[in-house]
Amino acid sequence: MHTPSVPSRRAAALAAATAATLSLSACVTNYEGGTPEGWQPVDQQAVPEIAALVPEDVAADGKLSVGTNPPFAPFQFKDSQGALIGFELDLGRAAAGVMGLEFDPQEMDFAMILPAVQAGSLDAGMSGFTDNEERRRSFDFVNFLYAGIQWAAPPDTEVDPSRPCGLTVSVQRTTVAETDDVRPKSEECEANGEEPITVLAFDTADNAALAALVGRSDAVSADSPVTAWAVERSEGELELVGEMFDAAPYGFAVVKDSPLGPALAAAVQHLIDTGEYQRILEQWNVTSGLLEEALINEQPLKGRD
């Protein structure tokens, strides 16, 4: 295994970083706490004209049932009591309130969420879904954020995402950070006769961040809100490096051409107009990539037939 260039210094300082490690691990892997300081719960009243858009099969039981797969902080994860929390779930809960529905998040395997939506056993998927052309063949996405890939590394290092050859980089397995960022860059390094990237792939984003924090990797690559969340909770032991890149839309997934899509988008538009959308995201430290209007598959409501 390639030995990272920085972790020798980090290993010597491992004891000093223990508190930060525990803080990051606790906040992201549900040992304690959860919501950020100053967090305020969602309390949205129904808007009759938007509630009237909800299809009868969804309105029948008075619930908006959604599938989600923690941990993917700050999109969704669990607090110390096992409650599902996160900014995507806060947005979903607020939108459900505007539509006059009770929010009903259900934890399940990520790979099973979209099939459950398509089968009708769930109304929507809310689990950090990237809105892409392949998924749009079967689903509509009510967009709520643009985000990209962002790296983080210990302070005072020479890590540069644009010059990654020879580095050890941690990622969450099968995410775009691995499949679209780190592994293609490693292949390019080899093609140019340079040392490849050593990729440390973990099942969860929090473990990928911890690897960088304790010196197992030179850097972590992840979705930009996930990286920012880890940096904020690292107590100065990690910092963002380089610029965000490969920005893409995220969205709530519903069945293709379902009337629930426009109803949910109308609810998101209401949250944007009232400032609640911005408040929810900012209290989770998500301050970039916010939308100015509700979109379905990156198209405004007024532009749809």
Side-chain angles (χ1 to χ4, degrees):
M1 178 181 293
H2 166 67
T3 302
S5 58
V6 177
S8 58
R9 179 182 68 83
R10 300 288 302 159
L14 182 58
T18 299
T21 305
L22 293 174
S23 174
L24 178 61
S25 177
C27 289
V28 181
T29 61
N30 315 325
Y31 294 124
E32 63 179 51
T35 55
E37 183 177 355
W39 176 87
Q40 294 295 321
V42 169
D43 182 20
Q44 288 292 305
Q45 300 300 312
V47 177
E49 58 267 31
I50 296 177
L53 300 175
V54 177
E56 292 183 5
D57 60 329
V58 177
D61 64 357
K63 295 181 179 180
L64 182 70
S65 61
V66 307
T68 192
N69 176 246
F72 194 58
F75 286 81
Q76 56 273 142
F77 60 110
K78 292 181 180 180
D79 66 13
S80 57
Q81 285 74 47
L84 290 165
I85 60 174
F87 79 79
E88 185 175 5
L89 298 183
D90 275 355
L91 281 176
R93 181 172 287 105
V98 171
M99 293 189 292
L101 301 172
E102 177 186 347
F103 189 61
D104 181 24
Q106 300 179 21
E107 181 181 355
M108 59 194 307
D109 289 343
F110 184 81
M112 298 303 297
I113 296 174
L114 291 183
V117 173
Q118 195 163 42
S121 55
L122 290 174
D123 298 321
M126 297 187 180
S127 196
F129 285 108
T130 302
D131 168 10
N132 59 38
E133 291 295 335
E134 180 179 356
R135 287 173 173 161
R136 286 182 193 174
R137 298 190 185 108
S138 301
F139 302 92
D140 286 329
F141 289 86
V142 179
N143 304 126
F144 61 84
L145 186 71
Y146 278 88
I149 298 172
Q150 176 78 63
W151 283 34
D156 303 321
T157 64
E158 300 298 324
V159 170
D160 182 349
S162 66
R163 299 173 60 190
C165 301
L167 296 176
T168 296
V169 182
S170 51
V171 296
Q172 182 179 2
R173 188 174 287 110
T174 73
T175 63
V176 293
E178 179 181 18
T179 61
D180 295 5
D181 177 31
V182 177
R183 292 203 184 276
K185 285 178 177 176
S186 182
E187 292 171 1
E188 184 176 355
C189 290
E190 289 190 283
N192 293 334
E194 298 183 77
E195 189 175 1
I197 299 171
T198 298
V199 182
L200 300 183
F202 295 88
D203 288 336
T204 61
D206 54 290
N207 283 335
L210 283 171
L213 189 99
V214 301
R216 289 190 62 193
S217 66
D218 293 304
V220 56
S221 173
D223 292 46
S224 51
V226 175
T227 307
W229 176 263
V231 167
E232 183 183 15
R233 268 141 188 79
S234 72
E235 297 185 356
E237 295 295 324
L238 291 175
E239 65 180 14
L240 301 177
V241 293
E243 300 293 329
M244 183 187 77
F245 53 93
D246 291 346
Y250 287 77
F252 304 141
V254 300
V255 171
K256 190 73 175 177
D257 297 324
S258 166
L260 179 59
L264 189 53
V268 171
Q269 185 64 57
H270 176 81
L271 297 175
I272 292 173
D273 293 342
T274 60
E276 183 69 358
Y277 163 82
Q278 183 175 359
R279 183 195 73 82
I280 288 172
L281 268 66
E282 286 186 347
Q283 70 178 1
W284 289 95
N285 197 34
V286 179
T287 58
S288 62
L290 277 64
L291 303 184
E292 296 182 356
E293 63 177 327
L295 303 173
I296 299 179
N297 303 335
E298 296 190 275
Q299 298 297 317
L301 287 174
K302 61 186 178 183
R304 291 172 57 87
D305 295 333

